[in-house]
Amino acid sequence: SINGFIAVRQALGRPRGMLVTTTGSGGTNYWTSSSGVTYTFAEELRALGFSIVQIRWAANWLESSPGNDAGQAQLGCRPGTVIKHIHDTYYRPLGIYPLHPGEAGFAMTGNSGGATQTGYALSHYGLDEIIDVAIPTGGPPHAALAKSCMNNPDEQAYQFQLETREFIDRGFGFFNGNGPAVQHSASFIPRWLQASHSTGGNDYFHPRTRLHFIVGEYDLQMQATASDYYQRLVTEGTPYVQWQIAPGTAHGVPATAAGRAAIKAALLQTWPVSTGFSRNADSVTIQWSSIEGRSYQLQAKEQLTESSWMNVGDPTVASSTSTSVTVPTSAATQRFYRVQLLP
């Protein structure tokens, strides 16, 4: 067992949600300790009404002990336990109950191995019952371990370097630098499949949890690896799941302005209920359920694979439980739409 620590900073003003953050590699640092800009970003989110709870570990949570064939999925009970404790001890007393699917609520984000902590909580430990929004960034890198630890020519985009494969081996109890991942041992593929987010989980249908993956434009390995998990969720019918590429960004998504903007937008977004469309010769009307008095922004983009959304008209303040925006037919053609819940 290892010790874990949490740091809690309450929202500034009336709380609207809680963001739990985790960090990469062995998770031994707090999220805001990575850089001054991350600390400033956390303070910005606090000003928007989010309490920030950070998790860090005294030692590498992804390591087992010599000879103990635990595997990363089993080790995922460590962050899963802490996440449940934070929810029950710090979030539940706030009395915040999101009215829209995917509204945060109780939210998670973490980069690289931090995304792994969130991923196991959902894929292996059933915490979609309490997590409203999950924003994995730069990962999770443990989504497709069989591809990442082998050396098949057609899976090069997934493949880990030697140092990372040694790291993976320590999760299965191999500390001698010559474990199955180092050796590309095909006999170990079943264990890697069990320990991967996209293949070994017991739950890929999350009817009320919104997942928003954000991967850097230059992080080609995580674009391949994390997409396996994303595609599994889509295939299994999870309704609120999105994929976004942060422009000008490498592996550390929170390190760039574009990455932080994407995280903020994902945190603030909601997924409207009962979105409807009506059309006549001159216009298309887009309608969604709303909370009276809250502000919404209709957004659009021309292709679903594009990373940027553009605002359509001005923000709309809901005057009832149903809100609509009318767009000229010529402008509405071949567009994808979403609604952003504003602060």
Side-chain angles (χ1 to χ4, degrees):
S1 64
I2 61 173
N3 292 325
F5 304 91
I6 58 174
V8 182
R9 298 205 73 188
Q10 300 296 343
L12 298 173
R14 182 180 178 182
R16 63 178 290 174
M18 177 172 286
L19 178 64
V20 180
T21 66
T22 52
T23 54
S25 190
T28 55
N29 297 309
Y30 285 128
W31 190 62
T32 56
S33 67
S34 61
S35 68
V37 294
T38 308
Y39 178 86
T40 301
F41 181 44
E43 291 300 289
E44 179 184 352
L45 297 179
R46 289 181 64 222
L48 292 173
F50 289 96
S51 296
I52 307 293
V53 182
Q54 303 183 70
I55 300 173
R56 77 170 181 89
W57 300 95
N60 191 330
W61 76 272
L62 280 163
E63 288 189 356
S64 182
S65 55
N68 183 356
D69 181 20
Q72 287 77 12
Q74 184 171 327
L75 297 173
C77 71
R78 293 167 169 171
T81 300
V82 177
I83 293 166
K84 181 67 163 59
H85 170 77
I86 292 170
H87 175 273
D88 294 351
T89 306
Y90 296 97
Y91 175 72
R92 184 175 288 169
L94 296 177
I96 300 171
Y97 302 102
L99 298 181
H100 284 313
E103 182 179 358
F106 188 68
M108 298 282 310
T109 193
N111 197 77
S112 191
T116 289
Q117 297 189 52
T118 301
Y120 283 134
L122 293 170
S123 63
H124 286 70
Y125 291 97
L127 293 190
D128 60 340
E129 295 182 355
I130 63 172
I131 298 174
D132 299 310
V133 176
I135 310 171
T137 68
H142 297 78
L145 289 175
K147 295 179 180 179
S148 298
C149 294
M150 290 299 292
N151 57 351
N152 297 322
D154 58 345
E155 295 172 346
Q156 291 182 1
Y158 296 83
Q159 292 166 12
F160 291 150
Q161 298 295 320
L162 175 61
E163 182 180 2
T164 305
R165 300 201 310 277
E166 291 175 339
F167 181 33
I168 296 299
D169 279 336
R170 291 195 291 274
F172 293 94
F174 298 94
F175 283 73
N176 60 1
N178 196 32
V182 169
Q183 298 181 42
H184 305 299
S185 176
S187 65
F188 212 75
I189 288 176
R191 289 291 289 117
W192 291 325
L193 292 174
Q194 291 172 354
S196 298
H197 294 102
S198 64
T199 53
N202 51 40
D203 186 6
Y204 295 101
F205 177 65
H206 309 307
R208 60 171 301 276
T209 301
R210 176 166 59 84
L211 290 99
H212 193 124
F213 292 80
I214 305 172
V215 182
E217 177 185 2
Y218 307 133
D219 191 3
L220 301 182
Q221 186 176 68
M222 286 305 107
Q223 288 181 33
T225 305
S227 69
D228 276 26
Y229 184 26
Y230 165 77
Q231 292 294 342
R232 178 69 187 269
L233 292 165
V234 171
T235 300
E236 297 291 340
T238 291
Y240 312 122
V241 58
Q242 293 171 277
W243 178 266
Q244 183 175 1
I245 302 297
T249 300
H251 185 52
V253 172
T256 68
R260 294 188 298 276
I263 294 170
K264 178 182 174 181
L267 186 63
L268 293 175
Q269 183 185 344
T270 186
W271 208 292
V273 183
S274 303
T275 301
F277 298 85
S278 60
R279 183 181 184 126
N280 58 35
D282 301 317
S283 65
V284 173
T285 299
I286 300 165
Q287 184 176 26
W288 64 91
S289 64
S290 57
I291 305 171
E292 189 171 354
R294 297 293 291 273
S295 296
Y296 298 85
Q297 176 67 63
L298 180 65
Q299 297 183 323
K301 61 181 176 180
E302 303 302 324
Q303 297 182 37
L304 193 57
T305 54
E306 292 178 354
S307 60
S308 59
W309 294 80
M310 61 180 180
N311 292 339
V312 178
D314 297 323
T316 301
V317 178
S319 58
S320 66
T321 58
S322 180
T323 302
S324 63
V325 169
T326 300
V327 181
T329 302
S330 59
T333 304
Q334 300 297 322
R335 276 186 174 179
F336 298 89
Y337 288 93
R338 74 176 185 183
V339 177
Q340 188 90 345
L341 176 64
L342 300 179

